[in-house]
Amino acid sequence: MQHYFAVPFISVDEKTEVKKPASFYPDYIIRYKDGSVGIYDTKGGLTVTSLDTKLKSDALLNYIAEHKDLGLKGGIIDVRLDGTYWLQDYQDYNAEDRDKWRVFTFN
């Protein structure tokens, strides 16, 4: 039996507003040289601004906060058309608030 890492969250259908338990599978789990672990989900284009992305981001950051003893960090990475990566790792995700985004590099 295979097992995968997933973050639980409450999904909301944007048309019907029906809520249901769900899980999402972050795109990247990275172990850094200092021993910390980064959990990142990548988005691009219209998915960056979707309600689903906000719900996933908030759930991921809640998970990280609940497991702070594990040295976790992470967030949503916006892959821009110019090839740059931008990270938002603030609770209460807001794609439009560019002050919450910073350039991200895999160092």
Side-chain angles (χ1 to χ4, degrees):
M1 181 177 189
Q2 295 180 343
H3 296 276
Y4 300 96
F5 175 78
V7 176
F9 75 110
I10 301 299
S11 174
V12 178
D13 184 294
E14 291 191 52
K15 291 181 183 175
T16 65
E17 297 184 8
V18 171
K19 297 178 182 181
K20 65 180 180 178
S23 297
F24 83 95
Y25 304 89
D27 294 319
Y28 295 97
I29 300 174
I30 301 168
R31 181 172 198 96
Y32 291 96
K33 290 179 183 179
D34 67 2
S36 63
V37 174
I39 305 171
Y40 304 100
D41 201 43
T42 56
K43 301 294 177 191
L46 294 176
T47 62
V48 173
T49 60
S50 74
L51 173 59
D52 193 57
T53 297
K54 177 188 177 9
L55 297 172
K56 289 177 180 180
S57 175
D58 292 347
L60 175 57
L61 293 175
N62 282 334
Y63 180 89
I64 289 169
E66 290 170 7
H67 297 88
K68 60 184 170 193
D69 57 316
L70 299 177
L72 301 176
K73 55 187 167 186
I76 300 296
I77 296 176
D78 180 3
V79 181
R80 305 276 174 90
L81 292 176
D82 66 2
T84 60
Y85 299 91
W86 290 76
L87 173 68
Q88 185 172 139
D89 55 1
Y90 289 91
Q91 192 65 353
D92 197 23
Y93 180 83
N94 181 343
E96 304 301 322
D97 185 353
R98 289 299 167 184
D99 290 336
K100 290 188 173 183
W101 293 89
R102 61 185 166 89
V103 174
F104 180 77
T105 58
F106 293 95
N107 290 339

CSV table of all heavy atoms in Angstrom, one decimal, residues 45-86:
chain,number,residue,atom,x,y,z
A,45,GLY,N,-1.0,31.6,-13.1
A,45,GLY,CA,-2.1,32.1,-13.8
A,45,GLY,C,-3.3,32.3,-12.9
A,45,GLY,O,-3.2,32.8,-11.8
A,46,LEU,N,-4.5,31.9,-13.3
A,46,LEU,CA,-5.7,32.1,-12.6
A,46,LEU,C,-5.8,31.3,-11.3
A,46,LEU,O,-6.5,31.7,-10.4
A,46,LEU,CB,-6.9,31.8,-13.5
A,46,LEU,CG,-7.1,32.7,-14.7
A,46,LEU,CD1,-8.3,32.3,-15.5
A,46,LEU,CD2,-7.3,34.2,-14.2
A,47,THR,N,-5.1,30.2,-11.2
A,47,THR,CA,-5.2,29.4,-10.0
A,47,THR,C,-4.6,30.1,-8.8
A,47,THR,O,-5.0,29.8,-7.7
A,47,THR,CB,-4.5,28.0,-10.1
A,47,THR,OG1,-3.1,28.2,-10.4
A,47,THR,CG2,-5.1,27.2,-11.3
A,48,VAL,N,-3.8,31.1,-9.0
A,48,VAL,CA,-3.2,31.8,-7.9
A,48,VAL,C,-4.3,32.6,-7.1
A,48,VAL,O,-4.2,32.7,-5.9
A,48,VAL,CB,-2.1,32.8,-8.4
A,48,VAL,CG1,-1.7,33.8,-7.3
A,48,VAL,CG2,-1.0,32.1,-9.0
A,49,THR,N,-5.3,33.0,-7.8
A,49,THR,CA,-6.4,33.8,-7.2
A,49,THR,C,-7.6,33.1,-6.8
A,49,THR,O,-8.6,33.6,-6.3
A,49,THR,CB,-6.8,35.0,-8.1
A,49,THR,OG1,-7.3,34.4,-9.4
A,49,THR,CG2,-5.6,35.9,-8.4
A,50,SER,N,-7.6,31.8,-7.0
A,50,SER,CA,-8.8,31.0,-6.7
A,50,SER,C,-9.1,30.8,-5.2
A,50,SER,O,-8.2,30.8,-4.4
A,50,SER,CB,-8.7,29.6,-7.4
A,50,SER,OG,-7.8,28.8,-6.7
A,51,LEU,N,-10.3,30.6,-4.9
A,51,LEU,CA,-10.7,30.3,-3.5
A,51,LEU,C,-10.1,29.0,-3.0
A,51,LEU,O,-9.6,28.9,-1.9
A,51,LEU,CB,-12.3,30.2,-3.4
A,51,LEU,CG,-12.8,29.7,-2.0
A,51,LEU,CD1,-12.4,30.7,-0.9
A,51,LEU,CD2,-14.3,29.6,-2.1
A,52,ASP,N,-10.0,28.0,-3.9
A,52,ASP,CA,-9.3,26.8,-3.6
A,52,ASP,C,-7.9,27.0,-3.1
A,52,ASP,O,-7.4,26.4,-2.1
A,52,ASP,CB,-9.4,25.9,-4.8
A,52,ASP,CG,-9.0,24.4,-4.5
A,52,ASP,OD1,-9.7,23.8,-3.6
A,52,ASP,OD2,-8.1,23.9,-5.1
A,53,THR,N,-7.1,27.9,-3.8
A,53,THR,CA,-5.8,28.1,-3.4
A,53,THR,C,-5.7,28.8,-2.0
A,53,THR,O,-4.9,28.5,-1.2
A,53,THR,CB,-5.1,29.0,-4.4
A,53,THR,OG1,-5.0,28.3,-5.7
A,53,THR,CG2,-3.7,29.4,-4.0
A,54,LYS,N,-6.6,29.7,-1.7
A,54,LYS,CA,-6.7,30.3,-0.4
A,54,LYS,C,-6.9,29.3,0.7
A,54,LYS,O,-6.2,29.3,1.7
A,54,LYS,CB,-7.8,31.4,-0.4
A,54,LYS,CG,-7.9,32.0,1.0
A,54,LYS,CD,-9.1,32.9,1.2
A,54,LYS,CE,-9.3,33.5,2.6
A,54,LYS,NZ,-8.3,33.3,3.6
A,55,LEU,N,-7.9,28.4,0.4
A,55,LEU,CA,-8.2,27.4,1.4
A,55,LEU,C,-7.0,26.5,1.6
A,55,LEU,O,-6.7,26.1,2.8
A,55,LEU,CB,-9.4,26.6,1.0
A,55,LEU,CG,-10.7,27.4,0.9
A,55,LEU,CD1,-11.8,26.6,0.2
A,55,LEU,CD2,-11.1,28.0,2.2
A,56,LYS,N,-6.3,26.1,0.6
A,56,LYS,CA,-5.2,25.2,0.7
A,56,LYS,C,-4.0,25.9,1.4
A,56,LYS,O,-3.4,25.3,2.3
A,56,LYS,CB,-4.7,24.7,-0.7
A,56,LYS,CG,-5.7,23.8,-1.3
A,56,LYS,CD,-5.2,23.4,-2.7
A,56,LYS,CE,-6.1,22.4,-3.4
A,56,LYS,NZ,-5.7,22.0,-4.7
A,57,SER,N,-3.8,27.2,1.1
A,57,SER,CA,-2.7,27.9,1.7
A,57,SER,C,-3.0,28.1,3.2
A,57,SER,O,-2.1,27.8,4.0
A,57,SER,CB,-2.6,29.3,1.1
A,57,SER,OG,-1.7,30.1,1.8
A,58,ASP,N,-4.2,28.4,3.6
A,58,ASP,CA,-4.5,28.6,5.0
A,58,ASP,C,-4.4,27.2,5.7
A,58,ASP,O,-3.8,27.2,6.9
A,58,ASP,CB,-5.9,29.2,5.2
A,58,ASP,CG,-6.0,30.6,4.7
A,58,ASP,OD1,-4.9,31.3,4.5
A,58,ASP,OD2,-7.1,31.1,4.6
A,59,ALA,N,-4.8,26.2,5.1
A,59,ALA,CA,-4.7,24.8,5.7
A,59,ALA,C,-3.2,24.4,5.9
A,59,ALA,O,-2.8,23.9,6.9
A,59,ALA,CB,-5.4,23.8,4.9
A,60,LEU,N,-2.4,24.7,4.9
A,60,LEU,CA,-1.0,24.4,4.9
A,60,LEU,C,-0.3,25.2,6.0
A,60,LEU,O,0.5,24.6,6.8
A,60,LEU,CB,-0.3,24.7,3.6
A,60,LEU,CG,1.2,24.5,3.5
A,60,LEU,CD1,1.6,23.1,3.9
A,60,LEU,CD2,1.8,24.8,2.2
A,61,LEU,N,-0.6,26.5,6.1
A,61,LEU,CA,0.1,27.3,7.2
A,61,LEU,C,-0.4,26.9,8.6
A,61,LEU,O,0.4,27.0,9.5
A,61,LEU,CB,-0.1,28.7,6.9
A,61,LEU,CG,0.7,29.2,5.6
A,61,LEU,CD1,0.4,30.6,5.3
A,61,LEU,CD2,2.2,29.0,5.8
A,62,ASN,N,-1.7,26.5,8.7
A,62,ASN,CA,-2.1,25.9,10.0
A,62,ASN,C,-1.4,24.7,10.3
A,62,ASN,O,-1.0,24.5,11.5
A,62,ASN,CB,-3.6,25.7,9.9
A,62,ASN,CG,-4.5,26.9,10.1
A,62,ASN,OD1,-4.0,27.9,10.6
A,62,ASN,ND2,-5.7,26.9,9.5
A,63,TYR,N,-1.2,23.8,9.3
A,63,TYR,CA,-0.5,22.5,9.6
A,63,TYR,C,1.0,22.8,10.0
A,63,TYR,O,1.5,22.2,11.0
A,63,TYR,CB,-0.4,21.7,8.3
A,63,TYR,CG,0.3,20.4,8.5
A,63,TYR,CD1,-0.3,19.3,8.9
A,63,TYR,CD2,1.7,20.3,8.2
A,63,TYR,CE1,0.4,18.1,9.1
A,63,TYR,CE2,2.4,19.1,8.4
A,63,TYR,CZ,1.7,18.0,8.8
A,63,TYR,OH,2.4,16.9,9.0
A,64,ILE,N,1.6,23.8,9.4
A,64,ILE,CA,3.0,24.2,9.7
A,64,ILE,C,3.0,24.7,11.2
A,64,ILE,O,3.9,24.4,12.0
A,64,ILE,CB,3.6,25.2,8.7
A,64,ILE,CG1,3.8,24.4,7.4
A,64,ILE,CG2,4.8,25.8,9.2
A,64,ILE,CD1,4.1,25.4,6.2
A,65,ALA,N,2.1,25.6,11.5
A,65,ALA,CA,2.0,26.1,12.9
A,65,ALA,C,1.8,25.1,13.9
A,65,ALA,O,2.4,25.1,15.0
A,65,ALA,CB,0.9,27.2,12.9
A,66,GLU,N,0.9,24.1,13.6
A,66,GLU,CA,0.6,23.0,14.5
A,66,GLU,C,1.8,22.1,14.8
A,66,GLU,O,1.9,21.4,15.8
A,66,GLU,CB,-0.6,22.2,14.1
A,66,GLU,CG,-1.9,23.0,14.1
A,66,GLU,CD,-3.0,22.2,13.4
A,66,GLU,OE1,-2.8,21.1,13.0
A,66,GLU,OE2,-4.1,22.8,13.3
A,67,HIS,N,2.7,22.0,13.8
A,67,HIS,CA,3.9,21.2,13.9
A,67,HIS,C,5.2,21.9,13.9
A,67,HIS,O,6.2,21.5,13.3
A,67,HIS,CB,3.9,20.2,12.7
A,67,HIS,CG,2.7,19.3,12.7
A,67,HIS,ND1,1.5,19.6,12.1
A,67,HIS,CD2,2.5,18.1,13.3
A,67,HIS,CE1,0.6,18.7,12.3
A,67,HIS,NE2,1.2,17.7,13.0
A,68,LYS,N,5.2,23.1,14.6
A,68,LYS,CA,6.3,24.0,14.6
A,68,LYS,C,7.6,23.3,15.2
A,68,LYS,O,8.7,23.7,14.8
A,68,LYS,CB,6.0,25.3,15.3
A,68,LYS,CG,5.6,25.2,16.7
A,68,LYS,CD,5.2,26.5,17.3
A,68,LYS,CE,4.6,26.3,18.6
A,68,LYS,NZ,3.9,27.5,19.1
A,69,ASP,N,7.4,22.3,16.0
A,69,ASP,CA,8.5,21.6,16.6
A,69,ASP,C,9.3,20.8,15.6
A,69,ASP,O,10.4,20.3,15.9
A,69,ASP,CB,8.0,20.7,17.7
A,69,ASP,CG,7.0,19.7,17.3
A,69,ASP,OD1,6.0,20.1,16.5
A,69,ASP,OD2,7.1,18.5,17.7
A,70,LEU,N,8.7,20.6,14.4
A,70,LEU,CA,9.4,19.8,13.3
A,70,LEU,C,10.3,20.7,12.4
A,70,LEU,O,10.9,20.2,11.5
A,70,LEU,CB,8.4,19.1,12.5
A,70,LEU,CG,7.5,18.1,13.2
A,70,LEU,CD1,6.5,17.5,12.3
A,70,LEU,CD2,8.4,17.0,13.8
A,71,GLY,N,10.3,22.0,12.7
A,71,GLY,CA,11.1,22.9,11.8
A,71,GLY,C,10.6,23.1,10.4
A,71,GLY,O,11.3,23.1,9.4
A,72,LEU,N,9.2,23.1,10.3
A,72,LEU,CA,8.6,23.3,9.0
A,72,LEU,C,8.5,24.7,8.6
A,72,LEU,O,8.3,25.6,9.4
A,72,LEU,CB,7.2,22.6,9.0
A,72,LEU,CG,7.1,21.2,9.4
A,72,LEU,CD1,5.7,20.7,9.5
A,72,LEU,CD2,7.9,20.3,8.4
A,73,LYS,N,8.5,24.9,7.3
A,73,LYS,CA,8.2,26.2,6.6
A,73,LYS,C,7.5,25.9,5.3
A,73,LYS,O,7.6,24.7,4.8
A,73,LYS,CB,9.4,27.1,6.5
A,73,LYS,CG,10.6,26.4,5.7
A,73,LYS,CD,11.8,27.4,5.8
A,73,LYS,CE,13.0,26.6,5.4
A,73,LYS,NZ,14.2,27.5,5.6
A,74,GLY,N,6.9,26.9,4.7
A,74,GLY,CA,6.3,26.6,3.4
A,74,GLY,C,5.3,27.7,3.0
A,74,GLY,O,5.1,28.7,3.7
A,75,GLY,N,4.6,27.4,1.9
A,75,GLY,CA,3.5,28.3,1.5
A,75,GLY,C,3.2,28.0,0.0
A,75,GLY,O,3.6,27.0,-0.5
A,76,ILE,N,2.6,29.0,-0.6
A,76,ILE,CA,2.2,29.0,-2.0
A,76,ILE,C,3.2,29.7,-2.8
A,76,ILE,O,3.7,30.8,-2.5
A,76,ILE,CB,0.8,29.6,-2.2
A,76,ILE,CG1,-0.3,28.9,-1.4
A,76,ILE,CG2,0.5,29.7,-3.7
A,76,ILE,CD1,-0.5,27.5,-1.8
A,77,ILE,N,3.7,29.0,-3.9
A,77,ILE,CA,4.7,29.6,-4.8
A,77,ILE,C,3.9,29.9,-6.1
A,77,ILE,O,3.3,29.1,-6.7
A,77,ILE,CB,5.8,28.7,-5.1
A,77,ILE,CG1,6.6,28.4,-3.8
A,77,ILE,CG2,6.7,29.2,-6.2
A,77,ILE,CD1,7.8,27.4,-3.9
A,78,ASP,N,4.0,31.2,-6.5
A,78,ASP,CA,3.4,31.7,-7.7
A,78,ASP,C,4.5,31.6,-8.8
A,78,ASP,O,5.5,32.3,-8.7
A,78,ASP,CB,2.9,33.1,-7.5
A,78,ASP,CG,2.3,33.7,-8.8
A,78,ASP,OD1,2.2,33.0,-9.8
A,78,ASP,OD2,1.9,34.9,-8.8
A,79,VAL,N,4.3,30.8,-9.8
A,79,VAL,CA,5.3,30.7,-10.9
A,79,VAL,C,4.9,31.7,-12.0
A,79,VAL,O,3.9,31.5,-12.6
A,79,VAL,CB,5.3,29.3,-11.5
A,79,VAL,CG1,6.4,29.1,-12.6
A,79,VAL,CG2,5.6,28.2,-10.3
A,80,ARG,N,5.7,32.7,-12.1
A,80,ARG,CA,5.4,33.8,-13.0
A,80,ARG,C,5.8,33.5,-14.5
A,80,ARG,O,6.7,32.7,-14.7
A,80,ARG,CB,6.0,35.1,-12.6
A,80,ARG,CG,5.7,35.5,-11.1
A,80,ARG,CD,4.4,36.3,-11.0
A,80,ARG,NE,4.1,36.5,-9.7
A,80,ARG,CZ,4.4,37.6,-9.0
A,80,ARG,NH1,5.1,38.6,-9.5
A,80,ARG,NH2,4.0,37.8,-7.7
A,81,LEU,N,5.2,34.2,-15.4
A,81,LEU,CA,5.5,33.9,-16.8
A,81,LEU,C,7.0,34.3,-17.1
A,81,LEU,O,7.6,33.7,-18.1
A,81,LEU,CB,4.6,34.8,-17.7
A,81,LEU,CG,3.1,34.3,-17.7
A,81,LEU,CD1,2.3,35.2,-18.6
A,81,LEU,CD2,3.0,32.9,-18.2
A,82,ASP,N,7.6,35.2,-16.4
A,82,ASP,CA,9.0,35.6,-16.6
A,82,ASP,C,10.0,34.6,-16.0
A,82,ASP,O,11.2,34.8,-16.1
A,82,ASP,CB,9.3,37.0,-16.1
A,82,ASP,CG,9.2,37.1,-14.6
A,82,ASP,OD1,8.9,36.1,-13.9
A,82,ASP,OD2,9.3,38.3,-14.1
A,83,GLY,N,9.4,33.5,-15.4
A,83,GLY,CA,10.3,32.5,-14.9
A,83,GLY,C,10.7,32.7,-13.4
A,83,GLY,O,11.5,31.9,-12.9
A,84,THR,N,10.2,33.7,-12.8
A,84,THR,CA,10.5,34.0,-11.4
A,84,THR,C,9.5,33.2,-10.5
A,84,THR,O,8.4,32.9,-10.9
A,84,THR,CB,10.5,35.5,-11.0
A,84,THR,OG1,9.3,36.0,-11.3
A,84,THR,CG2,11.6,36.2,-11.8
A,85,TYR,N,9.9,33.0,-9.3
A,85,TYR,CA,9.1,32.3,-8.3
A,85,TYR,C,8.8,33.3,-7.1
A,85,TYR,O,9.8,33.9,-6.6
A,85,TYR,CB,9.8,31.1,-7.7
A,85,TYR,CG,10.1,30.0,-8.8
A,85,TYR,CD1,11.3,30.0,-9.4
A,85,TYR,CD2,9.1,29.1,-9.1
A,85,TYR,CE1,11.5,29.0,-10.4
A,85,TYR,CE2,9.4,28.1,-10.0
A,85,TYR,CZ,10.6,28.1,-10.7
A,85,TYR,OH,10.9,27.1,-11.6
A,86,TRP,N,7.6,33.4,-6.7
A,86,TRP,CA,7.2,34.3,-5.6
A,86,TRP,C,6.5,33.5,-4.5
A,86,TRP,O,5.6,32.6,-4.9
A,86,TRP,CB,6.3,35.4,-6.1
A,86,TRP,CG,7.0,36.4,-7.0
A,86,TRP,CD1,7.4,36.2,-8.2
A,86,TRP,CD2,7.5,37.7,-6.6
A,86,TRP,NE1,8.1,37.3,-8.7
A,86,TRP,CE2,8.2,38.2,-7.7
A,86,TRP,CE3,7.4,38.4,-5.4
A,86,TRP,CZ2,8.7,39.5,-7.6
A,86,TRP,CZ3,8.0,39.7,-5.4
A,86,TRP,CH2,8.7,40.2,-6.5
